[in-house]
Amino acid sequence: MAGGWARDGAVNEQIDASIQDELARMKTRRAPQGDSLTHCADCEEPIPEARRRAIPGVKLCIECQQERDSAYQARGGINRRGSKDSQLK
Ligand SMILES: [Zn+2]
């Protein structure tokens, strides 16, 4: 049956594709995410060198990172960030 043949080929292609995806994802995870900043992108406080070494591509100081983390957990944090951003404009 020709139909069965075609389906086998498609499955193999899918497996290849998922392996490629996985490899691409691993490479992305391992690669540094841009340069670490010496100063926080949010409040411009200096970021400690130990933190920059621990987190490749770090963009935020500990305080701003914690603020951002808690903003994801509590909706009130997002509102606070929104008002802070409008003050900057
Ligand atoms: Zn900061």
Side-chain angles (χ1 to χ4, degrees):
M1 285 233 236
W5 236 90
R7 223 197 287 157
D8 285 352
V11 169
N12 284 339
E13 272 173 37
Q14 272 185 356
I15 290 168
D16 281 352
S18 59
I19 290 169
Q20 292 297 323
D21 276 4
E22 193 62 37
L23 286 174
R25 233 174 287 151
M26 281 170 71
K27 273 183 201 163
T28 310
R29 218 178 292 154
R30 215 178 293 167
Q33 303 172 339
D35 292 331
S36 299
L37 297 181
T38 55
H39 291 75
C40 176
D42 243 27
C43 68
E44 295 180 2
E45 284 287 317
I47 299 173
E49 195 182 336
R51 176 168 168 77
R52 284 189 279 134
R53 276 196 211 149
I55 308 168
V58 68
K59 300 281 189 285
L60 297 172
C61 72
I62 295 165
E63 274 183 37
C64 288
Q65 185 64 61
Q66 281 176 346
E67 200 178 301
R68 200 161 282 200
D69 287 348
S70 63
Y72 280 116
Q73 285 159 15
R75 275 167 183 252
I78 291 167
N79 290 338
R80 236 189 316 132
R81 270 199 65 75
S83 58
K84 191 178 162 194
D85 285 345
S86 56
Q87 279 172 11
L88 289 170
K89 278 170 193 164

